[in-house]
Amino acid sequence: MEFENNAYFWQKLDTLYLSSDLVIDRPKGTCHPFYSNLVYPVNYGYLKDPKDDEHIDCYRGSKNENSVNAMVVCADILNKDIEVKLLVGCTDQEEMDILGFLNQTDFQKSVIIRRGSAIPDWGNTSN
């Protein structure tokens, strides 16, 4: 099956974002807490869930929009982990800056998935 980048998925991400509190703990221009040569190109933080200690990482761009326009999937060799980070209100240039920021070390590589708008066949209610 081909990757299905559908509107319903992104709608749920928007709902998740809008129903959560965004905490910016690393403002644009600040250094990474462990690697001082890594400087955040946009505001970075997380969506706080009052029910538990888990959170969703989020980059907040300069556009005055509250929809998730993309996400990055990061493979981190040092932590032996895969992470998903949401991009909200990011310009095209900010998306590229984030991708460059995440891919500048040999220990982590990331890909970006931009918002899709297709309605899948299973979502067609006119049948």
Side-chain angles (χ1 to χ4, degrees):
M1 174 184 214
E2 182 179 318
F3 172 67
E4 183 179 271
N5 189 357
N6 73 69
Y8 297 124
F9 173 76
W10 294 96
Q11 180 185 45
K12 295 304 176 203
L13 288 181
D14 288 344
T15 301
L16 184 66
Y17 175 76
L18 292 169
S19 64
S20 303
D21 292 325
L22 175 61
V23 176
I24 299 295
D25 60 350
R26 297 178 193 162
K28 177 182 178 178
T30 59
C31 296
H32 188 280
F34 303 118
Y35 308 103
S36 61
N37 61 318
L38 302 178
V39 178
Y40 286 89
V42 300
N43 290 328
Y44 179 73
Y46 58 92
L47 300 180
K48 186 175 180 180
D49 183 350
K51 294 181 281 186
D52 61 38
D53 292 335
E54 294 295 318
H55 62 267
I56 299 168
D57 293 334
C58 187
Y59 287 94
R60 182 66 173 98
S62 62
K63 290 169 71 175
N64 190 20
E65 295 178 1
N66 286 319
S67 60
V68 179
N69 51 296
M71 64 181 173
V72 289
V73 179
C74 308
D76 187 329
I77 300 305
L78 289 179
N79 292 327
K80 296 187 187 281
D81 191 20
I82 294 176
E83 295 182 352
V84 175
K85 301 169 187 293
L86 303 181
L87 280 63
V88 177
C90 294
T91 65
D92 291 343
Q93 183 60 54
E94 288 170 333
E95 287 181 7
M96 296 312 298
D97 292 345
I98 292 165
L99 204 54
F101 171 76
L102 293 170
N103 283 315
Q104 63 185 305
T105 74
D106 289 335
F107 305 108
Q108 177 175 284
K109 294 301 174 197
S110 303
V111 295
I112 190 165
I113 301 172
R114 291 186 174 83
R115 187 180 190 110
S117 60
I119 303 295
D121 290 341
W122 55 260
N124 187 353
T125 58
S126 63
N127 291 337

